[in-house]
Amino acid sequence: LATEFPCIGNVRGRGLMTGIEIVDERKAADHMGSYPADAELAAAIQKACFDNKLLLERGGRGGTVVRLLCPITITADECKEVIARFTKAVDEAVKAVRG
């Protein structure tokens, strides 16, 4: 999804807990090549996910990391549905915040 949505920065996690950093790729990167965090867009993504019946939380400094905390009983089909809903939510949020 990061190739489709440049606002997705670093993706990290362990097991079924995944953190997706939301950045503003329109601004200059720092000396390490990292773009600044985008709290407004992260909040909009969280709301769009909720509107698409996908619950997730935000964490990280300023609430700029979207966190997926899937249950251990999740199926492959449910994983595909999570990705579909998350993709739709990111698309909606980017259009709403950035036009």
Side-chain angles (χ1 to χ4, degrees):
L1 290 177
T3 56
E4 185 177 347
F5 300 106
C7 65
I8 294 177
N10 184 280
V11 179
R12 54 194 174 269
R14 184 171 303 270
L16 294 173
M17 183 171 67
T18 306
I20 304 165
E21 182 183 29
I22 306 301
V23 299
D24 190 344
E25 77 287 351
R26 302 168 302 170
K27 295 183 179 174
D30 65 13
H31 68 283
M32 293 177 21
S34 299
Y35 293 106
D38 192 338
E40 179 185 11
L41 183 56
I45 290 171
Q46 182 185 36
K47 182 183 180 322
C49 283
F50 182 76
D51 292 344
N52 285 295
K53 300 187 178 17
L54 177 63
L55 297 178
L56 50 75
E57 61 182 37
R58 290 182 298 133
R61 194 173 302 169
T64 59
V65 177
V66 177
R67 299 193 313 182
L68 297 169
L69 305 164
C70 299
I72 197 163
T73 57
I74 194 166
T75 66
D77 287 339
E78 290 169 333
C79 286
K80 291 175 187 173
E81 186 64 26
V82 166
I83 292 168
R85 290 181 190 201
F86 184 73
T87 302
K88 182 179 181 205
V90 172
D91 185 52
E92 291 172 356
V94 167
K95 287 177 181 171
V97 172
R98 297 187 181 169

